[in-house]
Amino acid sequence: MNITKKDIDNLNAVLTVEISKDDYSDKVESILKNYRKNANIPGFRKGHVPMGMVKKQYGTAILVEEVNKLLQDNLHKYLTEEKLDVLGNPIPKNEKEVDWNEEDFTFEFDLGLAPQFDVDVKGKKAITHYKVLADDKMINNQVETIRKQYGKLIAKDTVEDGDEITGTFTSDEKGIDNPATFSTEDIKGKKQLKALKEAKIGDVITLKTKGLFNDDHDNQKQLGVSHEDAHGLDIEVDFKVEEINTREMAELNQEFFDKLFGEGVVTSEEELKAKIKEDAEKQFEQQSDQKLLNDVVENLIENTKFDLPDEFLQRWIQVSGEKPMTDEEAKAEYERSEKGLRYQLIEGKIRSENEALQVSFDELKDHSKQMIKAQMAQFGNTNPSDEELDGIAARILSNEEEVKRMTEQLNTTKMLQYFKENAKLKEKEISYDDFIKEASK
């Protein structure tokens, strides 16, 4: 067998595979002999069927199968030994039908070659890394929310601002009969709020659903309608008032602090606010890091210039899918996936040049044990033994899907840390509300 490569340009090449009779004849003959031994053909004893008849009946099918095996095995071997960095898989040229009556065969395959390029992670323009802060307004609101959550419910006869109302929404038109509890603070419509504040327990009032709640999603929850009906719902519903309660906020005392964080962890209102601020900003850090990762990736894609074998990749998409695609469908799919492919190549280049970015088995094992410890701590087991952790980790690491998922997590974590250390960044302190505005641009 002989394989040669002819470069068309820097991104495209043609592989020519020449297979002679000597490459496959022994294997084909061996298979035919086994067929002859076991063939059941009327008029002949088992094992005494003429070889010519066996060849006529099975010869071509066996030849095709063995030649295709040779092609696949040796193409893979050639690409590996020659260290060719290819995109997709070789595509048969299929310029002419194969004549299986011949003894020697020649096959040609188109190759798409990965481009050569350099990656400048540092870049010219600094990328903003946001430090999201929990401001006083947010912290005070959170303190109030927690105090209400742990406070006492006090029954009332009439509705005032901030009260919770429990009752049942009904509508014959939409088949609504749904129990609901909401606060006056959830109500958006002024007329609806006025009607509720004039109501007493046992009253049935008619409310318009359009603009009833601050968030249209509450229509789904409170009225029991579908997600599709919830947005822009414009009907009248009856609401029977069954309970009116106000929440007496929990006192800021040691019993309250211990209930929230454990005995003695927090001992004053100032420490409570500091703890809320710390916990909130840890969560904000995760969101900020995700935005940073997205921004660095976009920047790298935009500023790392290289060509791709576009025509080859469109053809590869067209022929490699489960369903056949038209030229137009393959082109559209390629345009959708091109950015992702470019980043795959950029990330692959970065990883190949930085050994520390490779994920080792020991790192996977440590990651799984940390994950297990965190889960066990949620159920009160804060000090599991090493033997226990090793046993659970071994079971997790035997699951291929779990290993793949954890590897992706570690890959992302390592890339994020690499970008933090090597990209050109500028830190900007920002409130959470302003960060959301920036992130949604």
Side-chain angles (χ1 to χ4, degrees):
M1 177 178 294
N2 185 41
I3 301 179
T4 56
K5 179 171 77 79
K6 179 183 178 182
D7 291 327
I8 307 301
D9 53 39
N10 291 334
L11 299 173
N12 295 275
V14 174
L15 280 187
T16 302
V17 184
E18 297 174 332
I19 298 178
S20 68
K21 185 178 180 179
D22 291 341
D23 296 319
Y24 63 80
S25 59
D26 289 347
K27 183 68 173 175
V28 170
E29 285 296 322
S30 174
I31 294 172
L32 285 170
K33 286 177 182 178
N34 283 331
Y35 268 62
R36 186 187 181 207
K37 289 178 183 177
N38 299 300
N40 287 311
I41 297 179
F44 297 95
R45 286 185 298 153
K46 188 175 180 179
H48 288 76
V49 180
M51 180 58 81
M53 185 174 289
V54 175
K55 285 184 178 181
K56 185 176 181 180
Q57 189 165 350
Y58 302 108
T60 301
I62 294 170
L63 173 63
V64 171
E65 183 178 355
E66 290 307 310
V67 168
N68 280 326
K69 283 182 183 177
L70 278 171
L71 273 175
Q72 297 305 317
D73 292 346
N74 285 279
L75 275 175
H76 176 74
K77 182 180 178 183
Y78 178 85
L79 296 176
T80 303
E81 290 179 349
E82 296 296 319
K83 298 180 181 177
L84 292 179
D85 195 1
V86 298
L87 301 177
N89 293 312
I91 302 176
K93 289 183 73 70
N94 288 334
E95 291 180 349
K96 62 180 181 178
E97 290 292 327
V98 178
D99 184 356
W100 295 104
N101 292 316
E102 298 287 337
E103 293 186 342
D104 299 331
F105 306 100
T106 299
F107 301 92
E108 289 187 328
F109 295 86
D110 286 325
L111 287 186
L113 304 176
Q116 300 295 314
F117 59 91
D118 294 317
V119 181
D120 181 12
V121 175
K122 182 73 70 178
K124 296 178 181 179
K125 185 179 178 181
I127 297 171
T128 303
H129 187 201
Y130 294 97
K131 181 176 177 60
V132 185
L133 304 176
D135 56 23
D136 290 342
K137 180 183 176 182
M138 173 178 282
I139 294 169
N140 289 334
N141 286 341
Q142 185 65 19
V143 170
E144 184 176 331
T145 299
I146 296 172
R147 289 181 68 190
K148 283 183 178 179
Q149 182 182 346
Y150 285 86
K152 296 178 181 178
L153 277 179
I154 299 175
K156 297 177 61 179
D157 294 323
T158 57
V159 178
E160 294 180 293
D161 288 335
D163 287 348
E164 290 182 8
I165 308 165
T166 296
T168 302
F169 283 105
T170 56
S171 165
D172 292 336
E173 179 186 347
K174 283 286 186 179
I176 294 171
D177 187 1
N178 199 63
T181 298
F182 53 88
S183 167
T184 58
E185 295 171 353
D186 299 326
I187 301 300
K188 179 180 180 182
K190 292 181 180 179
K191 289 183 179 179
Q192 291 99 318
L193 182 59
K194 184 174 183 292
L196 285 165
K197 290 173 74 171
E198 291 173 349
K200 297 180 175 61
I201 291 175
D203 287 352
V204 177
I205 56 177
T206 300
L207 301 170
K208 288 188 176 181
T209 59
K210 186 176 181 180
L212 175 59
F213 295 105
N214 291 314
D215 187 345
D216 272 355
H217 287 95
D218 281 345
N219 284 335
Q220 184 179 2
K221 172 185 173 185
Q222 305 292 2
L223 303 179
V225 297
S226 68
H227 179 75
E228 292 76 15
D229 288 340
H231 293 277
L233 185 66
D234 188 6
I235 61 170
E236 288 188 343
V237 292
D238 289 333
F239 180 72
K240 183 177 182 180
V241 182
E242 295 164 359
E243 287 184 31
I244 302 169
N245 295 292
T246 188
R247 280 194 179 268
E248 183 181 87
M249 290 195 292
E251 291 185 28
L252 292 174
N253 55 29
Q254 194 59 49
E255 180 184 356
F256 176 64
F257 300 146
D258 290 348
K259 189 180 292 184
L260 286 177
F261 302 107
E263 189 173 347
V265 175
V266 169
T267 59
S268 66
E269 182 178 353
E270 290 71 24
E271 288 183 9
L272 169 65
K273 290 182 176 181
K275 189 76 169 66
I276 290 172
K277 180 180 176 67
E278 178 188 357
D279 292 345
E281 289 180 355
K282 278 183 181 178
Q283 293 183 7
F284 298 160
E285 185 178 351
Q286 294 176 1
Q287 297 176 52
S288 173
D289 282 349
Q290 185 59 57
K291 176 163 173 55
L292 173 65
L293 185 61
N294 293 343
D295 290 344
V296 173
V297 167
E298 285 292 329
N299 183 67
L300 285 171
I301 292 172
E302 183 179 346
N303 293 295
T304 307
K305 304 298 183 183
F306 55 81
D307 293 326
L308 290 170
D310 301 318
E311 184 180 337
F312 170 85
L313 288 170
Q314 288 177 40
R315 285 175 53 216
W316 178 66
I317 288 173
Q318 191 171 11
V319 301
S320 63
E322 292 183 5
K323 297 181 180 179
M325 287 187 181
T326 64
D327 291 345
E328 292 74 18
E329 288 171 336
K331 182 179 180 181
E333 180 62 29
Y334 174 64
E335 288 172 353
R336 283 193 292 270
S337 58
E338 183 184 355
K339 265 192 173 183
L341 174 58
R342 288 183 176 275
Y343 182 64
Q344 282 181 16
L345 292 170
I346 292 167
E347 183 180 330
K349 177 83 170 176
I350 295 171
R351 289 188 184 282
S352 69
E353 295 174 351
N354 295 273
E355 190 175 339
L357 292 175
Q358 308 304 318
V359 175
S360 68
F361 179 79
D362 286 341
E363 287 173 324
L364 270 177
K365 185 177 179 181
D366 288 343
H367 179 69
S368 67
K369 289 168 73 171
Q370 291 302 318
M371 183 177 68
I372 295 162
K373 284 178 72 173
Q375 291 175 348
M376 294 176 81
Q378 292 178 1
F379 295 96
N381 186 353
T382 57
N383 191 29
S385 67
D386 287 339
E387 184 179 354
E388 191 174 8
L389 289 172
D390 286 336
I392 299 173
R395 289 198 297 274
I396 291 175
L397 293 171
S398 66
N399 185 314
E400 189 175 336
E401 286 299 315
E402 279 296 312
V403 170
K404 182 180 178 182
R405 185 180 64 81
M406 289 192 298
T407 301
E408 288 173 354
Q409 288 178 346
L410 283 173
N411 277 333
T412 300
T413 301
K414 282 175 170 263
M415 286 304 298
L416 175 63
Q417 188 58 38
Y418 176 81
F419 291 147
K420 283 183 176 181
E421 294 171 358
N422 293 277
K424 188 176 183 181
L425 306 179
K426 59 179 179 183
E427 188 173 274
K428 180 179 179 180
E429 293 188 346
I430 191 171
S431 71
Y432 182 71
D433 288 342
D434 288 339
F435 172 75
I436 294 300
K437 292 175 185 176
E438 288 292 321
S440 63
K441 286 181 180 177

